[in-house]
Amino acid sequence: MTLDSLALYLVSLATMGGIYAVLTLGLNIQWGMTGLMNAGVAGFVAIGAYTTAILTTGPSASHLGGLGWPVWAGILAAGGVSAVLALPIALVSMRLRSDYLAMATLGIAEILRLVVRNEDWMTGGPRGIAGLPKPFETLGTPVSQLAFLGLVLGMIAVLYWFAERAHRSPWGRVQRAIRENEVAAAAAGKNVEAFRLQSFVFGAFAMGLGGALLAHNIKFIGPEAVEPLIATFLVWVMLIAGGSGNNRGAILGAFAIWTLWAATEIMTAQLPPELGGRAAYVRIFLIGLALQLILLFRPQGLIGERPPKPLGQID
Amino acid sequence: MLEAVGLVKRFGGFTAVDGCSLTVAERSMTGLIGPNGAGKTTLFNLLGGYYRPDGGQVRFKGRDISRLKPHQRFRAGIVRTFQIPHEFARMTVLENLTVVPPGQLGEGLAAAWFWPWGVARQEAKIRARALEVLEFLKLTHVKDNPAEALSGGQKKLLELGRAVMSGNRCVLLDEPAAGVNRALLGDLTERILDLHRIGYTFLIIEHDMEFIAKLCQPIYVMAEGKVLTEGTMADIRRDARVVEAYLGHSGAAA
Ligand SMILES: Nc1ncnc2c1ncn2[C@@H]1O[C@H](COP(=O)(O)OP(=O)(O)OP(=O)(O)O)[C@@H](O)[C@H]1O
Ligand SMILES: [Mg+2]
């Protein structure tokens, strides 16, 4: 590997880590701040990715849309559609206890996966949607890659700002109270369902954005990209590893686990050919092992939750 | 002010509250006593909206509030504490209080994002108030500890603190004195009396008869889900049914 290609590899690694950081921030809003166990992250990633794919690609007979919107509009719409679709889900499921919410979201994500795979007229079915525009591409290597990384990092920064402000405000305090003891939160006059709904929708918005970035990054979206393993399990591992309840922890966890995930790819490439077919399982096993070690030795994550400084004590 | 009218609550085949009626007059300090398992806490849960009654009504200021959810009853002006403390475990003691006051601007995302100055101004006031309450409860030295690290008695005090932070004037206390040391109990009694003097209404469940005798009038006695009798401490002590209810059970006599 030459130095140039190594540098490019690191940029693409950071880009993917950053896209996952967007997803992990979304999950942190739902689970870390409020205790909503969303086991269907992949569903919202799919909504975001396919929304922008349908809106920004050129006209095509093999899937819905092809409206040729600009990329920025597609990405924002992806967040918006994801949030809007989260609303009815939230309305019916915010009353559920967290383990039932996990089952409900898991089921919904699975339904979406089947829709994506089978509704060819809309999603291109198993062939997916290709030819998404990637912004900055006219700038050539390596500027275009760096610019896209910049876009991802900028998105993280904006999202972090919104998430952190919310976390440090009375809104976030109520969310944590609900997470700790929903009966006592209701006894303190808080409308538990309404608060949960806001958190769920806010988190879903972030996941939709992340899904859109994912699709634009590889200029393609297909059913494999929104498999629960890739889009739900990894995000959960990232959040737990980084520190649930801590926005910085969520970002750090995403980059750390994505790096590890990429490393397992390099490691499994060294496997003898007769094991090569099992590489995918070995990678999952290694990530699972990492999760176990974290839970054993650092259950609070790399940067655990700490009481946020209230607004005004910093600003 | 607050009225239970023939309330019934069943758990499976067991009737925990069996046609209970009681009236908490405005600005009164009403007591509720009875042996263990009499149904006092269950009655509180009905008054607070945590259970849907199998019969009867809850009325507040003349209005039927039976269908209101717990947070709506809080907004109507009722606040309750829990016999088994319900602290926000991984939040600090101070946060356990500052989260309570209603009408916080920063509970809306728009203000949290775009008007932090307004939120900060309100936060400063709420924080000052919470610090006062902590000072009174002698919890100032643990204000930055997570609430889960408090002792059992301290958690009871925190329950009371949250009720005070609510600003609601109809306060239901479920065994506020249980586990609280004698020295502090005197202060606690004084503080409840202070609040009473400025117009608060209390309904207090308590096993500590001295505490009840000092504060409450009238006193209701419950046993086996029913209200046995009601009156002053002197009336109750003379009532043979009350003595029997207590001795007939675990013997936790007055
Ligand atoms: N959720 C529940 N499910 C089933 N039974 C219950 C439930 N809650 C209370 N009970 C039963 O109802 C009866 C009354 O309980 P409750 O807690 O109201 O008593 P209490 O008067 O508050 O007693 P104590 O003085 O010990 O606190 C008890 O026999 C209890 O076992
Ligand atoms: Mg009780």
Side-chain angles (χ1 to χ4, degrees):
Chain A
M1 213 191 258
T2 66
L3 211 55
D4 280 359
S5 65
L6 178 67
L8 272 183
Y9 175 73
L10 290 179
V11 170
S12 83
L13 193 74
T15 304
M16 280 305 287
I19 292 171
Y20 269 95
V22 170
L23 299 177
T24 311
L25 277 172
L27 186 62
N28 189 44
I29 292 164
Q30 295 179 341
W31 169 250
M33 295 185 194
T34 314
L36 298 173
M37 198 181 271
N38 181 354
V41 179
F44 296 99
V45 173
I47 292 169
Y50 279 95
T51 299
T52 196
I54 287 168
L55 292 175
T56 61
T57 49
S60 159
S62 62
H63 62 82
L64 182 69
L67 301 178
W69 283 22
V71 172
W72 63 266
I75 293 177
L76 282 182
V81 170
S82 178
V84 167
L85 290 180
L87 201 65
I89 297 172
L91 281 174
V92 297
S93 59
M94 286 302 107
R95 243 168 277 191
L96 301 177
R97 257 176 35 199
S98 79
D99 36 1
Y100 292 110
L101 177 65
M103 280 190 258
T105 47
L106 191 67
I108 288 161
E110 204 53 23
I111 291 168
L112 280 168
R113 202 172 63 85
L114 291 174
V115 168
V116 155
R117 196 175 273 287
N118 296 308
E119 299 299 317
D120 296 34
W121 60 274
M122 179 165 70
T123 64
R127 278 168 293 113
I129 300 179
L132 273 80
K134 186 166 181 178
F136 317 117
E137 238 183 356
T138 51
L139 301 175
T141 307
V143 181
S144 76
Q145 284 89 342
L146 283 171
F148 192 81
L149 175 60
L151 172 72
V152 170
L153 294 180
M155 201 77 101
I156 294 173
V158 172
L159 204 57
Y160 173 80
W161 186 88
F162 277 99
E164 190 64 15
R165 264 260 160 102
H167 184 49
R168 279 171 42 197
S169 72
W171 184 87
R173 189 162 59 205
V174 172
Q175 298 290 14
R176 283 185 298 136
I178 290 169
R179 184 192 70 189
E180 294 301 307
N181 194 323
E182 96 177 67
V183 173
K190 311 305 175 193
N191 186 346
V192 172
E193 282 166 36
F195 274 100
R196 281 188 167 157
L197 182 134
Q198 293 174 39
S199 169
F200 193 72
V201 170
F202 185 7
F205 179 82
M207 291 171 189
L209 287 185
L213 288 173
L214 197 68
H216 285 291
N217 185 38
I218 51 173
K219 299 161 61 171
F220 170 78
I221 184 68
E224 289 75 33
V226 293
E227 289 285 330
L229 169 76
I230 291 290
T232 300
F233 178 65
L234 266 189
V235 178
W236 270 98
V237 175
M238 286 164 173
L239 182 58
I240 293 165
S244 184
N246 186 320
N247 288 315
R248 281 177 222 198
I251 296 171
L252 181 67
F255 281 106
I257 296 297
W258 185 259
T259 306
L260 193 66
W261 179 245
T264 63
E265 187 175 20
I266 295 169
M267 282 157 67
T268 52
Q270 316 297 322
L271 287 175
E274 61 273 20
L275 282 176
R278 302 210 175 102
Y281 306 114
V282 175
R283 292 181 74 187
I284 297 163
F285 171 77
L286 289 172
I287 290 292
L289 187 68
L291 178 63
Q292 293 297 326
L293 292 175
I294 291 159
L295 288 175
L296 272 177
F297 296 109
R298 211 170 161 79
Q300 77 277 32
L302 294 170
I303 332 180
E305 177 176 356
R306 30 189 96 111
K309 289 208 183 64
L311 289 178
Q313 273 175 262
I314 272 189
D315 288 325
Chain B
M1 185 183 212
L2 180 64
E3 248 182 302
V5 189
L7 282 176
V8 178
K9 180 66 200 173
R10 298 189 194 93
F11 295 111
F14 175 74
T15 308
V17 172
D18 192 0
C20 251
S21 297
L22 61 77
T23 305
V24 181
E26 184 152 12
R27 310 192 68 150
S28 75
M29 291 246 238
T30 304
L32 181 57
I33 64 172
N36 293 118
K40 306 180 294 296
T41 298
T42 307
L43 180 66
F44 260 35
N45 285 333
L46 290 167
L47 294 174
Y50 298 84
Y51 295 143
R52 194 172 278 276
D54 297 307
Q57 243 187 27
V58 181
R59 304 184 68 81
F60 185 59
K61 295 179 174 164
R63 182 160 80 106
D64 179 7
I65 59 163
S66 307
R67 294 182 168 279
L68 296 191
K69 292 178 184 160
H71 74 270
Q72 294 168 320
R73 296 193 196 198
F74 177 100
R75 281 187 206 158
I78 304 168
V79 66
R80 60 88 52 99
T81 68
F82 294 90
Q83 178 176 1
I84 300 164
H86 277 44
E87 74 283 2
F88 302 119
R90 288 178 296 167
M91 291 165 66
T92 67
V93 169
L94 183 64
E95 286 176 321
N96 265 262
L97 296 187
T98 52
V99 74
V100 174
Q104 295 191 39
L105 205 60
E107 286 183 6
L109 276 176
W113 285 330
F114 305 118
W115 205 41
W117 315 277
V119 174
R121 220 173 310 136
Q122 208 183 33
E123 282 282 273
K125 283 194 201 119
I126 291 170
R127 188 182 149 88
R129 173 92 185 100
L131 288 173
E132 260 173 49
V133 172
L134 287 176
E135 189 63 43
F136 162 70
L137 295 172
K138 304 214 162 48
L139 291 175
T140 306
H141 61 295
V142 290
K143 71 176 167 42
D144 295 319
N145 294 0
E148 63 191 345
L150 293 180
S151 74
Q154 288 175 320
K155 285 180 186 175
K156 294 290 314 189
L157 293 172
L158 190 60
E159 282 284 322
L160 186 69
R162 285 214 310 265
V164 172
M165 286 299 289
S166 74
N168 282 351
R169 295 187 152 232
C170 179
V171 186
L172 316 182
L173 302 176
D174 198 342
E175 302 196 16
V180 173
N181 84 66
R182 287 276 141 193
L184 197 49
L185 198 56
D187 278 356
L188 202 69
T189 314
E190 284 310 310
R191 182 55 180 246
I192 291 173
L193 283 168
D194 283 347
L195 291 173
H196 180 234
R197 234 167 268 132
I198 61 172
Y200 278 59
T201 303
F202 286 95
L203 175 61
I204 306 178
I205 297 178
E206 193 44 73
H207 286 296
D208 182 332
M209 290 302 157
E210 207 180 302
F211 183 83
I212 282 277
K214 205 183 293 173
L215 288 176
C216 295
Q217 155 88 330
I219 298 164
Y220 283 85
V221 185
M222 266 184 92
E224 297 183 347
K226 295 191 175 70
V227 171
L228 270 188
T229 178
E230 164 217 356
T232 63
M233 197 48 136
D235 297 338
I236 285 166
R237 282 194 201 282
R238 280 196 298 270
D239 198 314
R241 287 171 304 170
V242 176
V243 176
E244 191 195 340
Y246 271 97
L247 294 181
H249 286 75
S250 55

